[in-house]
Amino acid sequence: MDRIRIIGGERLKGTIPISGAKNAALPLMIASLLTPDTITLKNVPNLADVGLLIRILRNHGTDTAFDGKRAIANGHQGDTLHLTARDIVDTTAPYDLVRRMRASFWVLGPLLAREHKARVSLPGGCAIGTRPVDLHLAGLQALGAEISLDGGYVVANAPGGLKGGVFSFPKVSVGATHNILMAATLAKGETVLENAACEPEVADVASCLNKMGAKIEGAGTPTITIQGVNELEGATHTVLPDRIETGTYAMAVAATGGEVYLDGARADLLPAALDVLREAGVDITETNRGLHVARNGAALKPVNVTTAPYPGFPTDLQAQLMALMCRAGGVSQIREAIFENRFMHVQELARLGADISVSGDMAKVRGVPSLRGAEVMATDLRASVSLVIAGLVAEGETVVNRVYHLDRGFERLEEKLGSCGARIERLHS
Ligand code: EPZ
């Protein structure tokens, strides 16, 4: 298994290109199941999760092809992806594929909408809590689906097709919003989703669906209205920039000091995180093409943060913020309010000398004068990158094990940080 080796202590200086958002690219790819025509996605990040989803979609009969060329460490891969699901050849998404990535469960809604039946394994994904799928199922039932569980599979049928309905989410769920939104595009009549997720990735997917001929209004707000249509057609769409990658590199620069231009980043996609960084003493300037992030000399101030659905502070940046606050001058309080088990990075940060105590959903981070390099283990995608941030500021050598988690969500991480002066390399096993 590959590992990442970091020699800490270098300030970051340079430019980092921001990739297309993983969490938009995945549902956009899944939306291709809704039409026999070709969906062309531009700015698709080269990530393990994208590769895995391609395998899952191929199993349903989707033809996939990349074009364009991009230089990466292990070859060339295009970032424009064409997906054509002319015929759905299989409405089963098997355990062996779905268990590796939770987002693959979102094929349920599109398959049900187009083929009126689907059999999808209950999902896997990062180990960050129980992560049930009850909201996905309740929403599809509100559109008339008959659902049962059989041997670890969700079996869904909609004889005669889905019918529009009203569904109010008892809790905000990004995935369930994607799933039901996609299903409702081909349902008969009007669907209203209340308390829907407002994440920019939901609005991005809706914008692509509208290009495909869907009639969706209100995506990006808590109330989404969908007028069902008989069929959808092909479209071309550019994936929006990754706000979590943006926030992660901004926090890396904040931790090490220095100044970096995040090329292609959009400040409007992460208002809460940028506010927190400014409060901590980081300079952030928006330009028409990206974000300039700098911390030159100013000490880091502690912050109090609670994660929340968009536009609140994202749970996907909580671990990175914690790594950053390890170097602040005082005590920070970080409350994780989305997932109940997303503090797995705490014990690994402690191996680097962090002083963090956890009580329930609250972590108290006492800033320390220095961190010391150590061997650490990544437990999930965002936890892994928090260890990279800590390693960048720690004295001496840090080795992060289980790098496959990072490869799921960060494109060319070593290359991007290395080009800004970080001493970071991948050790191939
Ligand atoms: C999406 O996961 C993201 N994944 C996650 O990013 C992100 O952490 C999460 O949203 C929250 O922002 C993708 O976009 C691919 P949820 P999702 O449904 O959709 C509970 C990353 O690192 N819930 O919004 O799976 C759930 O347990 C990943 O890129 C139910 O109770 O998250 C959680 O407490 C990790 N029942 C809360 O809702 C359900 O049926 C929010 O989960 C569904 C969810």
Side-chain angles (χ1 to χ4, degrees):
M1 251 179 253
D2 287 1
R3 296 173 299 157
I4 297 268
R5 179 170 174 267
I6 303 163
I7 308 292
E10 304 296 330
R11 292 159 81 82
L12 295 177
K13 199 167 178 31
T15 296
I16 295 180
I18 296 301
S19 298
K22 166 181 85 81
N23 289 349
L26 299 178
L28 284 164
M29 290 166 66
I30 290 172
S32 68
L33 291 173
L34 288 163
T35 173
D37 297 341
T38 300
I39 300 299
T40 297
L41 298 177
K42 297 183 174 175
N43 200 29
V44 175
N46 181 10
L47 299 170
D49 272 7
V50 168
L52 181 56
L53 185 57
I54 285 176
R55 281 180 59 195
I56 291 166
L57 295 175
R58 280 187 180 153
N59 176 63
H60 295 302
T62 309
D63 285 329
T64 56
F66 274 106
D67 67 14
K69 290 272 184 268
R70 173 188 288 182
I72 54 169
N74 56 358
H76 287 271
Q77 185 159 23
D79 60 3
T80 297
L81 175 61
H82 306 277
L83 304 115
T84 314
R86 193 158 314 288
D87 297 300
I88 303 291
V89 297
D90 193 342
T91 51
T92 295
Y95 171 72
D96 190 43
L97 292 173
V98 178
R99 72 183 168 86
R100 301 178 206 203
M101 184 178 50
R102 186 177 167 84
S104 54
F105 185 73
W106 307 347
V107 300
L108 179 62
L111 288 176
L112 190 54
R114 181 161 161 198
E115 297 296 309
H116 305 174
K117 62 176 186 171
R119 191 168 167 271
V120 178
S121 171
L122 288 164
C126 284
I128 55 177
T130 349
R131 305 185 82 189
V133 292
D134 54 324
L135 302 175
H136 298 246
L137 305 188
L140 293 171
Q141 279 167 330
L143 301 189
E146 296 162 4
I147 291 180
S148 59
L149 293 181
D150 177 30
Y153 280 77
V154 172
V155 181
N157 285 290
L162 293 170
K163 296 177 187 64
V166 177
F167 184 68
S168 184
F169 290 92
K171 179 177 188 177
V172 175
S173 163
V174 175
T177 301
H178 282 307
N179 213 342
I180 301 158
L181 172 65
M182 288 192 278
T185 57
L186 291 180
K188 284 192 193 73
E190 181 179 277
T191 297
V192 180
L193 302 180
E194 291 165 353
N195 197 27
C198 300
E199 268 64 6
E201 292 75 18
V202 171
D204 200 42
V205 170
S207 137
C208 178
L209 290 168
N210 281 342
K211 289 180 199 164
M212 293 162 66
K215 296 200 168 119
I216 303 169
E217 282 179 8
T221 75
T223 303
I224 307 179
T225 306
I226 307 118
Q227 307 293 340
V229 295
N230 289 335
E231 56 187 20
L232 295 174
E233 54 196 33
T236 297
H237 186 78
T238 302
V239 181
L240 90 172
D242 196 316
R243 64 195 165 97
I244 304 302
E245 189 194 31
T246 302
T248 299
Y249 288 126
M251 288 182 198
V253 181
T256 60
E259 48 193 292
V260 166
Y261 185 64
L262 301 177
D263 193 9
R266 267 175 48 191
D268 61 310
L269 300 179
L270 65 164
L274 297 184
D275 283 351
V276 165
L277 284 174
R278 287 191 176 109
E279 191 189 331
V282 182
D283 288 328
I284 299 170
T285 321
E286 200 179 337
T287 73
N288 56 2
R289 273 192 34 236
L291 281 177
H292 187 261
V293 181
R295 186 173 70 83
N296 287 314
L300 274 173
K301 295 185 210 116
V303 294
N304 293 337
V305 167
T306 298
T307 61
Y310 192 84
F313 188 92
T315 173
D316 289 346
L317 284 173
Q318 177 259 110
Q320 299 89 315
L321 179 69
M322 198 177 289
L324 174 63
M325 285 300 117
C326 288
R327 295 290 289 108
V331 181
S332 301
Q333 297 198 2
I334 302 180
R335 185 168 161 251
E336 173 54 57
I338 305 288
F339 293 109
E340 81 272 25
N341 190 22
R342 212 177 192 180
F343 282 145
M344 312 271 272
H345 40 285
V346 169
Q347 64 198 28
E348 298 302 304
L349 288 170
R351 294 175 59 76
L352 299 169
D355 182 354
I356 305 169
S357 55
V358 174
S359 170
D361 61 3
M362 178 69 87
K364 267 192 187 168
V365 188
R366 287 169 202 80
V368 291
S370 63
L371 295 172
R372 288 174 309 283
E375 191 153 347
V376 288
M377 193 169 70
T379 50
D380 76 62
L381 166 58
R382 311 304 176 184
S384 317
V385 85
S386 78
L387 298 174
V388 170
I389 293 176
L392 291 172
V393 287
E395 289 163 11
E397 178 182 289
T398 294
V399 174
V400 182
N401 290 294
R402 294 200 182 167
V403 167
Y404 59 85
H405 286 294
L406 277 176
D407 294 337
R408 292 185 57 188
F410 288 94
E411 190 179 41
R412 299 181 290 126
L413 175 99
E414 316 89 272
E415 199 183 309
K416 289 187 184 187
L417 286 171
S419 74
C420 291
R423 293 173 67 194
I424 179 168
E425 63 175 339
R426 182 177 291 248
L427 306 175
H428 296 284
S429 51

